[in-house]
Amino acid sequence: MNETRRFFLELAYNGTAYHGWQIQPNALTVQELLDKTLSILFRHKTETVGCGRTDTGVHAKQFYAHFDLEVEKGKKWKMESKKFLISLNALLPYDIAVKKVVEVESESHARFDATLRAYEYHIHYHKDPFKQNFSWL
């Protein structure tokens, strides 16, 4: 007998190469790559729900998503383990990093349970190659 458990992921990404968070037809997104990677690890289709959306090229220092996983009833599942994070991050591109995975109540929702959203806009006034893609000139 199986039961469905819900997990939250805390991640960060450099959005330069992506058309935002949310899956779109004919455009590469962070959610698409995360879903594919989780599906590989769990050996079945896994879909995430994000706490919001980002536009093309936008970065996220702290972004949350959730996914559901069917596991054998009573089986311990150590998603929080370093081994799982190492495996997940090894399969993701370098510009997407999962920081933490935690099991939550089955009703918890990454988008609707969010209590705060903050956005930062960076502007620089002189050409600086170290600020390219991270600040507006």
Side-chain angles (χ1 to χ4, degrees):
M1 181 135 196
N2 290 337
E3 63 184 350
T4 302
R5 295 190 191 161
R6 180 159 289 178
F7 296 88
F8 268 31
L9 296 165
E10 179 185 350
L11 61 143
Y13 55 86
N14 176 330
T16 302
Y18 306 105
H19 290 264
W21 157 261
Q22 194 170 19
I23 291 177
Q24 301 178 41
N26 304 317
L28 185 63
T29 67
V30 176
Q31 184 180 28
E32 175 185 346
L33 292 177
L34 182 60
D35 289 2
K36 283 181 182 178
T37 302
L38 289 169
S39 297
I40 290 168
L41 282 174
F42 299 135
R43 295 186 177 105
H44 64 85
K45 186 173 182 170
T46 304
E47 296 178 341
T48 57
V49 174
C51 62
R53 298 183 302 192
T54 56
D55 292 331
T56 297
V58 172
H59 317 299
K61 288 182 184 177
Q62 187 178 43
F63 192 93
Y64 288 90
H66 76 256
F67 66 93
D68 294 330
L69 183 65
E70 237 181 77
V71 295
E72 191 176 315
K73 193 171 181 114
K75 181 179 179 184
K76 296 252 183 200
W77 193 261
K78 291 293 287 178
M79 290 292 224
E80 300 88 354
S81 75
K82 285 185 181 181
K83 184 178 178 181
F84 176 77
L85 280 177
I86 290 168
S87 299
L88 180 57
N89 281 309
L91 292 173
L92 286 167
Y94 188 74
D95 50 7
I96 301 172
V98 175
K99 300 176 183 182
K100 192 187 318 182
V101 183
V102 292
E103 187 170 357
V104 296
E105 295 295 323
S106 60
E107 304 84 30
S108 298
H109 197 283
R111 180 176 170 207
F112 299 125
D113 289 344
T115 57
L116 175 70
R117 289 181 174 84
Y119 304 90
E120 293 179 13
Y121 298 90
H122 297 259
I123 300 171
H124 61 282
Y125 298 97
H126 305 286
K127 185 176 179 181
D128 184 339
F130 295 102
K131 292 182 179 177
Q132 185 177 347
N133 296 323
F134 297 101
S135 181
W136 186 63
L137 177 61

mmCIF file of all heavy atoms in Angstrom, residues 32-79:
data_model
loop_
_atom_site.group_PDB
_atom_site.id
_atom_site.type_symbol
_atom_site.label_atom_id
_atom_site.label_comp_id
_atom_site.label_asym_id
_atom_site.label_seq_id
_atom_site.Cartn_x
_atom_site.Cartn_y
_atom_site.Cartn_z
ATOM 1 N N GLU A 32 11.002 23.150 -16.008
ATOM 2 C CA GLU A 32 11.148 22.020 -16.932
ATOM 3 C C GLU A 32 12.359 21.163 -16.568
ATOM 4 O O GLU A 32 12.266 19.936 -16.488
ATOM 5 C CB GLU A 32 11.300 22.555 -18.361
ATOM 6 C CG GLU A 32 11.570 21.499 -19.398
ATOM 7 C CD GLU A 32 11.834 22.088 -20.782
ATOM 8 O OE1 GLU A 32 11.549 23.285 -21.006
ATOM 9 O OE2 GLU A 32 12.339 21.336 -21.632
ATOM 10 N N LEU A 33 13.498 21.805 -16.315
ATOM 11 C CA LEU A 33 14.708 21.047 -15.983
ATOM 12 C C LEU A 33 14.611 20.390 -14.611
ATOM 13 O O LEU A 33 15.065 19.258 -14.425
ATOM 14 C CB LEU A 33 15.930 21.957 -16.055
ATOM 15 C CG LEU A 33 16.288 22.426 -17.461
ATOM 16 C CD1 LEU A 33 17.467 23.384 -17.419
ATOM 17 C CD2 LEU A 33 16.601 21.251 -18.371
ATOM 18 N N LEU A 34 14.002 21.080 -13.651
ATOM 19 C CA LEU A 34 13.836 20.491 -12.320
ATOM 20 C C LEU A 34 12.915 19.276 -12.379
ATOM 21 O O LEU A 34 13.221 18.224 -11.803
ATOM 22 C CB LEU A 34 13.284 21.535 -11.347
ATOM 23 C CG LEU A 34 13.105 21.083 -9.902
ATOM 24 C CD1 LEU A 34 14.428 20.632 -9.284
ATOM 25 C CD2 LEU A 34 12.472 22.200 -9.078
ATOM 26 N N ASP A 35 11.796 19.391 -13.102
ATOM 27 C CA ASP A 35 10.868 18.258 -13.233
ATOM 28 C C ASP A 35 11.536 17.064 -13.903
ATOM 29 O O ASP A 35 11.363 15.920 -13.475
ATOM 30 C CB ASP A 35 9.627 18.666 -14.015
ATOM 31 C CG ASP A 35 8.707 19.598 -13.240
ATOM 32 O OD1 ASP A 35 9.034 19.972 -12.103
ATOM 33 O OD2 ASP A 35 7.649 19.964 -13.798
ATOM 34 N N LYS A 36 12.306 17.316 -14.955
ATOM 35 C CA LYS A 36 13.005 16.226 -15.651
ATOM 36 C C LYS A 36 14.006 15.545 -14.726
ATOM 37 O O LYS A 36 14.113 14.317 -14.704
ATOM 38 C CB LYS A 36 13.726 16.749 -16.895
ATOM 39 C CG LYS A 36 12.814 17.016 -18.062
ATOM 40 C CD LYS A 36 13.595 17.507 -19.269
ATOM 41 C CE LYS A 36 12.656 17.809 -20.426
ATOM 42 N NZ LYS A 36 13.379 18.327 -21.600
ATOM 43 N N THR A 37 14.725 16.342 -13.944
ATOM 44 C CA THR A 37 15.728 15.783 -13.037
ATOM 45 C C THR A 37 15.085 14.955 -11.932
ATOM 46 O O THR A 37 15.534 13.846 -11.623
ATOM 47 C CB THR A 37 16.589 16.911 -12.440
ATOM 48 O OG1 THR A 37 17.200 17.634 -13.518
ATOM 49 C CG2 THR A 37 17.662 16.361 -11.529
ATOM 50 N N LEU A 38 14.020 15.469 -11.332
ATOM 51 C CA LEU A 38 13.316 14.697 -10.303
ATOM 52 C C LEU A 38 12.732 13.414 -10.888
ATOM 53 O O LEU A 38 12.765 12.363 -10.247
ATOM 54 C CB LEU A 38 12.209 15.542 -9.669
ATOM 55 C CG LEU A 38 12.681 16.676 -8.765
ATOM 56 C CD1 LEU A 38 11.517 17.613 -8.422
ATOM 57 C CD2 LEU A 38 13.336 16.148 -7.499
ATOM 58 N N SER A 39 12.224 13.484 -12.106
ATOM 59 C CA SER A 39 11.669 12.293 -12.768
ATOM 60 C C SER A 39 12.737 11.233 -12.990
ATOM 61 O O SER A 39 12.474 10.035 -12.853
ATOM 62 C CB SER A 39 11.018 12.689 -14.099
ATOM 63 O OG SER A 39 9.924 13.557 -13.875
ATOM 64 N N ILE A 40 13.936 11.663 -13.302
ATOM 65 C CA ILE A 40 15.054 10.717 -13.474
ATOM 66 C C ILE A 40 15.381 10.058 -12.128
ATOM 67 O O ILE A 40 15.524 8.837 -12.037
ATOM 68 C CB ILE A 40 16.296 11.427 -14.051
ATOM 69 C CG1 ILE A 40 16.050 11.806 -15.510
ATOM 70 C CG2 ILE A 40 17.547 10.561 -13.912
ATOM 71 C CD1 ILE A 40 17.079 12.758 -16.083
ATOM 72 N N LEU A 41 15.491 10.862 -11.082
ATOM 73 C CA LEU A 41 15.842 10.322 -9.764
ATOM 74 C C LEU A 41 14.791 9.355 -9.225
ATOM 75 O O LEU A 41 15.131 8.335 -8.641
ATOM 76 C CB LEU A 41 16.040 11.465 -8.763
ATOM 77 C CG LEU A 41 17.361 12.207 -8.839
ATOM 78 C CD1 LEU A 41 17.351 13.399 -7.889
ATOM 79 C CD2 LEU A 41 18.518 11.285 -8.488
ATOM 80 N N PHE A 42 13.509 9.688 -9.410
ATOM 81 C CA PHE A 42 12.441 8.857 -8.867
ATOM 82 C C PHE A 42 11.955 7.783 -9.834
ATOM 83 O O PHE A 42 11.126 6.957 -9.480
ATOM 84 C CB PHE A 42 11.261 9.727 -8.427
ATOM 85 C CG PHE A 42 11.625 10.705 -7.349
ATOM 86 C CD1 PHE A 42 11.209 12.023 -7.432
ATOM 87 C CD2 PHE A 42 12.379 10.329 -6.250
ATOM 88 C CE1 PHE A 42 11.534 12.935 -6.440
ATOM 89 C CE2 PHE A 42 12.710 11.226 -5.258
ATOM 90 C CZ PHE A 42 12.287 12.537 -5.354
ATOM 91 N N ARG A 43 12.434 7.839 -11.067
ATOM 92 C CA ARG A 43 12.085 6.856 -12.103
ATOM 93 C C ARG A 43 10.589 6.858 -12.450
ATOM 94 O O ARG A 43 10.032 5.837 -12.800
ATOM 95 C CB ARG A 43 12.551 5.466 -11.708
ATOM 96 C CG ARG A 43 14.045 5.367 -11.617
ATOM 97 C CD ARG A 43 14.496 3.946 -11.356
ATOM 98 N NE ARG A 43 15.928 3.870 -11.355
ATOM 99 C CZ ARG A 43 16.666 3.745 -10.261
ATOM 100 N NH1 ARG A 43 16.088 3.668 -9.083
ATOM 101 N NH2 ARG A 43 17.964 3.696 -10.344
ATOM 102 N N HIS A 44 9.947 8.011 -12.296
ATOM 103 C CA HIS A 44 8.580 8.213 -12.782
ATOM 104 C C HIS A 44 8.335 9.719 -12.868
ATOM 105 O O HIS A 44 9.022 10.521 -12.218
ATOM 106 C CB HIS A 44 7.527 7.529 -11.904
ATOM 107 C CG HIS A 44 7.425 8.059 -10.520
ATOM 108 N ND1 HIS A 44 6.668 9.154 -10.208
ATOM 109 C CD2 HIS A 44 7.992 7.646 -9.368
ATOM 110 C CE1 HIS A 44 6.771 9.394 -8.914
ATOM 111 N NE2 HIS A 44 7.574 8.498 -8.375
ATOM 112 N N LYS A 45 7.356 10.105 -13.682
ATOM 113 C CA LYS A 45 7.097 11.524 -13.924
ATOM 114 C C LYS A 45 6.796 12.254 -12.618
ATOM 115 O O LYS A 45 5.926 11.855 -11.850
ATOM 116 C CB LYS A 45 5.932 11.688 -14.902
ATOM 117 C CG LYS A 45 5.710 13.113 -15.303
ATOM 118 C CD LYS A 45 4.662 13.233 -16.390
ATOM 119 C CE LYS A 45 4.527 14.698 -16.775
ATOM 120 N NZ LYS A 45 3.737 14.896 -17.951
ATOM 121 N N THR A 46 7.544 13.330 -12.386
ATOM 122 C CA THR A 46 7.382 14.141 -11.187
ATOM 123 C C THR A 46 7.228 15.592 -11.622
ATOM 124 O O THR A 46 8.021 16.078 -12.424
ATOM 125 C CB THR A 46 8.605 14.007 -10.259
ATOM 126 O OG1 THR A 46 8.794 12.609 -9.971
ATOM 127 C CG2 THR A 46 8.415 14.765 -8.969
ATOM 128 N N GLU A 47 6.195 16.257 -11.101
ATOM 129 C CA GLU A 47 5.937 17.643 -11.460
ATOM 130 C C GLU A 47 5.970 18.521 -10.216
ATOM 131 O O GLU A 47 5.479 18.134 -9.162
ATOM 132 C CB GLU A 47 4.574 17.773 -12.149
ATOM 133 C CG GLU A 47 4.519 17.032 -13.474
ATOM 134 C CD GLU A 47 3.157 17.120 -14.141
ATOM 135 O OE1 GLU A 47 2.158 17.436 -13.453
ATOM 136 O OE2 GLU A 47 3.102 16.866 -15.352
ATOM 137 N N THR A 48 6.540 19.704 -10.380
ATOM 138 C CA THR A 48 6.631 20.650 -9.285
ATOM 139 C C THR A 48 5.614 21.774 -9.456
ATOM 140 O O THR A 48 5.124 22.021 -10.555
ATOM 141 C CB THR A 48 8.042 21.281 -9.223
ATOM 142 O OG1 THR A 48 8.328 21.900 -10.478
ATOM 143 C CG2 THR A 48 9.096 20.238 -8.900
ATOM 144 N N VAL A 49 5.329 22.450 -8.343
ATOM 145 C CA VAL A 49 4.510 23.660 -8.336
ATOM 146 C C VAL A 49 5.353 24.727 -7.658
ATOM 147 O O VAL A 49 5.836 24.522 -6.547
ATOM 148 C CB VAL A 49 3.195 23.446 -7.557
ATOM 149 C CG1 VAL A 49 2.423 24.754 -7.427
ATOM 150 C CG2 VAL A 49 2.349 22.375 -8.203
ATOM 151 N N GLY A 50 5.557 25.840 -8.337
ATOM 152 C CA GLY A 50 6.400 26.901 -7.801
ATOM 153 C C GLY A 50 5.635 27.903 -6.960
ATOM 154 O O GLY A 50 4.408 28.008 -7.044
ATOM 155 N N CYS A 51 6.373 28.678 -6.170
ATOM 156 C CA CYS A 51 5.774 29.696 -5.307
ATOM 157 C C CYS A 51 5.330 30.920 -6.106
ATOM 158 O O CYS A 51 4.631 31.778 -5.584
ATOM 159 C CB CYS A 51 6.754 30.109 -4.216
ATOM 160 S SG CYS A 51 8.277 30.853 -4.823
ATOM 161 N N GLY A 52 5.733 31.008 -7.332
ATOM 162 C CA GLY A 52 5.386 32.134 -8.194
ATOM 163 C C GLY A 52 6.017 31.917 -9.553
ATOM 164 O O GLY A 52 6.367 30.793 -9.908
ATOM 165 N N ARG A 53 6.181 33.002 -10.289
ATOM 166 C CA ARG A 53 6.810 32.912 -11.598
ATOM 167 C C ARG A 53 7.893 33.972 -11.688
ATOM 168 O O ARG A 53 7.867 34.957 -10.959
ATOM 169 C CB ARG A 53 5.791 33.148 -12.710
ATOM 170 C CG ARG A 53 4.692 32.128 -12.734
ATOM 171 C CD ARG A 53 3.764 32.341 -13.880
ATOM 172 N NE ARG A 53 3.174 33.686 -13.836
ATOM 173 C CZ ARG A 53 2.157 34.068 -14.573
ATOM 174 N NH1 ARG A 53 1.606 33.231 -15.416
ATOM 175 N NH2 ARG A 53 1.672 35.279 -14.493
ATOM 176 N N THR A 54 8.829 33.756 -12.585
ATOM 177 C CA THR A 54 9.812 34.786 -12.897
ATOM 178 C C THR A 54 9.819 34.973 -14.411
ATOM 179 O O THR A 54 9.452 34.070 -15.158
ATOM 180 C CB THR A 54 11.233 34.419 -12.407
ATOM 181 O OG1 THR A 54 11.620 33.162 -12.967
ATOM 182 C CG2 THR A 54 11.288 34.343 -10.894
ATOM 183 N N ASP A 55 10.234 36.129 -14.837
ATOM 184 C CA ASP A 55 10.316 36.442 -16.258
ATOM 185 C C ASP A 55 11.614 35.909 -16.847
ATOM 186 O O ASP A 55 12.528 35.504 -16.125
ATOM 187 C CB ASP A 55 10.242 37.955 -16.479
ATOM 188 C CG ASP A 55 8.879 38.528 -16.139
ATOM 189 O OD1 ASP A 55 7.880 37.800 -16.259
ATOM 190 O OD2 ASP A 55 8.828 39.711 -15.753
ATOM 191 N N THR A 56 11.723 35.984 -18.149
ATOM 192 C CA THR A 56 12.931 35.571 -18.858
ATOM 193 C C THR A 56 14.140 36.321 -18.303
ATOM 194 O O THR A 56 14.101 37.527 -18.122
ATOM 195 C CB THR A 56 12.787 35.872 -20.365
ATOM 196 O OG1 THR A 56 11.705 35.095 -20.866
ATOM 197 C CG2 THR A 56 14.054 35.528 -21.122
ATOM 198 N N GLY A 57 15.188 35.566 -18.006
ATOM 199 C CA GLY A 57 16.444 36.156 -17.556
ATOM 200 C C GLY A 57 16.490 36.576 -16.096
ATOM 201 O O GLY A 57 17.505 37.058 -15.628
ATOM 202 N N VAL A 58 15.403 36.390 -15.351
ATOM 203 C CA VAL A 58 15.357 36.814 -13.952
ATOM 204 C C VAL A 58 15.940 35.715 -13.059
ATOM 205 O O VAL A 58 15.711 34.535 -13.270
ATOM 206 C CB VAL A 58 13.907 37.161 -13.538
ATOM 207 C CG1 VAL A 58 13.805 37.417 -12.046
ATOM 208 C CG2 VAL A 58 13.418 38.363 -14.326
ATOM 209 N N HIS A 59 16.691 36.133 -12.062
ATOM 210 C CA HIS A 59 17.336 35.210 -11.125
ATOM 211 C C HIS A 59 16.504 35.080 -9.857
ATOM 212 O O HIS A 59 15.699 35.953 -9.549
ATOM 213 C CB HIS A 59 18.727 35.718 -10.741
ATOM 214 C CG HIS A 59 19.518 36.239 -11.898
ATOM 215 N ND1 HIS A 59 19.864 35.454 -12.980
ATOM 216 C CD2 HIS A 59 19.996 37.477 -12.160
ATOM 217 C CE1 HIS A 59 20.549 36.187 -13.843
ATOM 218 N NE2 HIS A 59 20.637 37.416 -13.373
ATOM 219 N N ALA A 60 16.745 34.009 -9.115
ATOM 220 C CA ALA A 60 16.077 33.817 -7.827
ATOM 221 C C ALA A 60 17.107 33.372 -6.795
ATOM 222 O O ALA A 60 17.747 32.339 -6.970
ATOM 223 C CB ALA A 60 14.968 32.783 -7.951
ATOM 224 N N LYS A 61 17.245 34.164 -5.738
ATOM 225 C CA LYS A 61 18.136 33.794 -4.629
ATOM 226 C C LYS A 61 17.492 32.743 -3.741
ATOM 227 O O LYS A 61 18.168 31.900 -3.161
ATOM 228 C CB LYS A 61 18.461 35.013 -3.766
ATOM 229 C CG LYS A 61 19.367 36.005 -4.394
ATOM 230 C CD LYS A 61 19.630 37.128 -3.389
ATOM 231 C CE LYS A 61 20.460 38.218 -3.981
ATOM 232 N NZ LYS A 61 20.655 39.320 -3.026
ATOM 233 N N GLN A 62 16.165 32.843 -3.594
ATOM 234 C CA GLN A 62 15.428 31.914 -2.744
ATOM 235 C C GLN A 62 14.047 31.712 -3.363
ATOM 236 O O GLN A 62 13.240 32.629 -3.410
ATOM 237 C CB GLN A 62 15.311 32.468 -1.331
ATOM 238 C CG GLN A 62 14.703 31.500 -0.357
ATOM 239 C CD GLN A 62 14.651 32.084 1.057
ATOM 240 O OE1 GLN A 62 14.301 33.245 1.239
ATOM 241 N NE2 GLN A 62 15.023 31.272 2.036
ATOM 242 N N PHE A 63 13.804 30.519 -3.838
ATOM 243 C CA PHE A 63 12.563 30.182 -4.527
ATOM 244 C C PHE A 63 12.097 28.844 -3.973
ATOM 245 O O PHE A 63 12.917 27.962 -3.723
ATOM 246 C CB PHE A 63 12.831 30.072 -6.036
ATOM 247 C CG PHE A 63 11.599 30.010 -6.882
ATOM 248 C CD1 PHE A 63 11.045 31.165 -7.415
ATOM 249 C CD2 PHE A 63 10.995 28.796 -7.178
ATOM 250 C CE1 PHE A 63 9.908 31.117 -8.214
ATOM 251 C CE2 PHE A 63 9.858 28.731 -7.966
ATOM 252 C CZ PHE A 63 9.318 29.898 -8.493
ATOM 253 N N TYR A 64 10.786 28.689 -3.787
ATOM 254 C CA TYR A 64 10.257 27.444 -3.245
ATOM 255 C C TYR A 64 9.340 26.765 -4.250
ATOM 256 O O TYR A 64 8.624 27.421 -5.004
ATOM 257 C CB TYR A 64 9.485 27.695 -1.949
ATOM 258 C CG TYR A 64 10.392 28.050 -0.803
ATOM 259 C CD1 TYR A 64 10.725 29.377 -0.545
ATOM 260 C CD2 TYR A 64 10.944 27.067 -0.005
ATOM 261 C CE1 TYR A 64 11.574 29.709 0.497
ATOM 262 C CE2 TYR A 64 11.791 27.387 1.044
ATOM 263 C CZ TYR A 64 12.099 28.712 1.282
ATOM 264 O OH TYR A 64 12.953 29.024 2.313
ATOM 265 N N ALA A 65 9.377 25.459 -4.239
ATOM 266 C CA ALA A 65 8.491 24.649 -5.071
ATOM 267 C C ALA A 65 8.114 23.420 -4.255
ATOM 268 O O ALA A 65 8.813 23.057 -3.308
ATOM 269 C CB ALA A 65 9.185 24.234 -6.361
ATOM 270 N N HIS A 66 7.004 22.794 -4.625
ATOM 271 C CA HIS A 66 6.653 21.540 -3.962
ATOM 272 C C HIS A 66 6.361 20.476 -5.004
ATOM 273 O O HIS A 66 6.096 20.774 -6.164
ATOM 274 C CB HIS A 66 5.489 21.703 -2.980
ATOM 275 C CG HIS A 66 4.135 21.831 -3.606
ATOM 276 N ND1 HIS A 66 3.464 23.018 -3.700
ATOM 277 C CD2 HIS A 66 3.308 20.905 -4.168
ATOM 278 C CE1 HIS A 66 2.297 22.837 -4.282
ATOM 279 N NE2 HIS A 66 2.173 21.550 -4.579
ATOM 280 N N PHE A 67 6.465 19.239 -4.563
ATOM 281 C CA PHE A 67 6.109 18.096 -5.397
ATOM 282 C C PHE A 67 5.573 17.001 -4.494
ATOM 283 O O PHE A 67 5.838 16.975 -3.295
ATOM 284 C CB PHE A 67 7.298 17.593 -6.234
ATOM 285 C CG PHE A 67 8.421 17.008 -5.418
ATOM 286 C CD1 PHE A 67 8.470 15.647 -5.159
ATOM 287 C CD2 PHE A 67 9.431 17.814 -4.919
ATOM 288 C CE1 PHE A 67 9.506 15.097 -4.410
ATOM 289 C CE2 PHE A 67 10.470 17.289 -4.176
ATOM 290 C CZ PHE A 67 10.507 15.929 -3.916
ATOM 291 N N ASP A 68 4.803 16.103 -5.090
ATOM 292 C CA ASP A 68 4.260 14.961 -4.371
ATOM 293 C C ASP A 68 4.987 13.705 -4.807
ATOM 294 O O ASP A 68 5.376 13.573 -5.968
ATOM 295 C CB ASP A 68 2.761 14.813 -4.642
ATOM 296 C CG ASP A 68 1.954 15.968 -4.074
ATOM 297 O OD1 ASP A 68 2.378 16.542 -3.046
ATOM 298 O OD2 ASP A 68 0.913 16.309 -4.658
ATOM 299 N N LEU A 69 5.136 12.789 -3.869
ATOM 300 C CA LEU A 69 5.830 11.537 -4.151
ATOM 301 C C LEU A 69 5.062 10.403 -3.495
ATOM 302 O O LEU A 69 4.705 10.485 -2.316
ATOM 303 C CB LEU A 69 7.255 11.600 -3.597
ATOM 304 C CG LEU A 69 8.142 10.405 -3.851
ATOM 305 C CD1 LEU A 69 8.411 10.244 -5.344
ATOM 306 C CD2 LEU A 69 9.455 10.563 -3.099
ATOM 307 N N GLU A 70 4.791 9.367 -4.266
ATOM 308 C CA GLU A 70 4.138 8.182 -3.718
ATOM 309 C C GLU A 70 5.203 7.252 -3.162
ATOM 310 O O GLU A 70 6.137 6.880 -3.853
ATOM 311 C CB GLU A 70 3.348 7.466 -4.822
ATOM 312 C CG GLU A 70 1.893 7.317 -4.450
ATOM 313 C CD GLU A 70 1.101 6.594 -5.507
ATOM 314 O OE1 GLU A 70 1.215 5.357 -5.581
ATOM 315 O OE2 GLU A 70 0.379 7.294 -6.223
ATOM 316 N N VAL A 71 5.054 6.922 -1.883
ATOM 317 C CA VAL A 71 6.009 6.020 -1.234
ATOM 318 C C VAL A 71 5.259 4.923 -0.511
ATOM 319 O O VAL A 71 4.078 5.059 -0.198
ATOM 320 C CB VAL A 71 6.928 6.777 -0.244
ATOM 321 C CG1 VAL A 71 7.807 7.764 -0.960
ATOM 322 C CG2 VAL A 71 6.133 7.456 0.834
ATOM 323 N N GLU A 72 5.956 3.847 -0.253
ATOM 324 C CA GLU A 72 5.363 2.721 0.462
ATOM 325 C C GLU A 72 4.970 3.180 1.864
ATOM 326 O O GLU A 72 5.746 3.843 2.564
ATOM 327 C CB GLU A 72 6.386 1.591 0.542
ATOM 328 C CG GLU A 72 5.827 0.290 1.026
ATOM 329 C CD GLU A 72 6.882 -0.807 0.981
ATOM 330 O OE1 GLU A 72 7.597 -0.907 -0.030
ATOM 331 O OE2 GLU A 72 6.968 -1.545 1.975
ATOM 332 N N LYS A 73 3.752 2.844 2.265
ATOM 333 C CA LYS A 73 3.228 3.285 3.567
ATOM 334 C C LYS A 73 4.153 2.815 4.690
ATOM 335 O O LYS A 73 4.571 1.668 4.730
ATOM 336 C CB LYS A 73 1.822 2.740 3.774
ATOM 337 C CG LYS A 73 1.105 3.402 4.921
ATOM 338 C CD LYS A 73 -0.362 3.009 4.962
ATOM 339 C CE LYS A 73 -1.021 3.704 6.102
ATOM 340 N NZ LYS A 73 -2.004 4.663 5.672
ATOM 341 N N GLY A 74 4.486 3.745 5.573
ATOM 342 C CA GLY A 74 5.338 3.426 6.712
ATOM 343 C C GLY A 74 6.826 3.468 6.411
ATOM 344 O O GLY A 74 7.636 3.408 7.320
ATOM 345 N N LYS A 75 7.200 3.598 5.137
ATOM 346 C CA LYS A 75 8.618 3.606 4.767
ATOM 347 C C LYS A 75 9.225 4.966 5.098
ATOM 348 O O LYS A 75 8.639 6.002 4.827
ATOM 349 C CB LYS A 75 8.770 3.328 3.275
ATOM 350 C CG LYS A 75 10.207 3.292 2.800
ATOM 351 C CD LYS A 75 10.293 2.996 1.316
ATOM 352 C CE LYS A 75 11.735 2.996 0.861
ATOM 353 N NZ LYS A 75 11.851 2.807 -0.585
ATOM 354 N N LYS A 76 10.394 4.944 5.693
ATOM 355 C CA LYS A 76 11.122 6.182 5.981
ATOM 356 C C LYS A 76 11.710 6.688 4.673
ATOM 357 O O LYS A 76 12.264 5.929 3.897
ATOM 358 C CB LYS A 76 12.246 5.922 6.980
ATOM 359 C CG LYS A 76 11.758 5.472 8.315
ATOM 360 C CD LYS A 76 11.948 6.563 9.306
ATOM 361 C CE LYS A 76 11.526 6.055 10.677
ATOM 362 N NZ LYS A 76 11.246 7.111 11.573
ATOM 363 N N TRP A 77 11.574 7.972 4.441
ATOM 364 C CA TRP A 77 12.107 8.555 3.204
ATOM 365 C C TRP A 77 12.951 9.750 3.579
ATOM 366 O O TRP A 77 12.445 10.762 4.020
ATOM 367 C CB TRP A 77 10.961 8.967 2.271
ATOM 368 C CG TRP A 77 11.453 9.265 0.909
ATOM 369 C CD1 TRP A 77 11.697 10.494 0.393
ATOM 370 C CD2 TRP A 77 11.790 8.338 -0.108
ATOM 371 N NE1 TRP A 77 12.164 10.383 -0.892
ATOM 372 C CE2 TRP A 77 12.235 9.074 -1.218
ATOM 373 C CE3 TRP A 77 11.777 6.955 -0.196
ATOM 374 C CZ2 TRP A 77 12.650 8.474 -2.400
ATOM 375 C CZ3 TRP A 77 12.191 6.363 -1.364
ATOM 376 C CH2 TRP A 77 12.610 7.113 -2.451
ATOM 377 N N LYS A 78 14.242 9.637 3.414
ATOM 378 C CA LYS A 78 15.177 10.666 3.855
ATOM 379 C C LYS A 78 15.518 11.638 2.734
ATOM 380 O O LYS A 78 16.605 11.644 2.203
ATOM 381 C CB LYS A 78 16.447 10.031 4.417
ATOM 382 C CG LYS A 78 16.262 9.305 5.721
ATOM 383 C CD LYS A 78 15.930 10.250 6.849
ATOM 384 C CE LYS A 78 17.163 11.041 7.229
ATOM 385 N NZ LYS A 78 16.927 12.011 8.269
ATOM 386 N N MET A 79 14.558 12.485 2.366
ATOM 387 C CA MET A 79 14.810 13.494 1.345
ATOM 388 C C MET A 79 15.802 14.542 1.838
ATOM 389 O O MET A 79 16.448 15.184 1.046
ATOM 390 C CB MET A 79 13.512 14.209 0.989
ATOM 391 C CG MET A 79 12.576 13.343 0.256
ATOM 392 S SD MET A 79 13.268 13.002 -1.324
ATOM 393 C CE MET A 79 11.846 13.219 -2.281
#
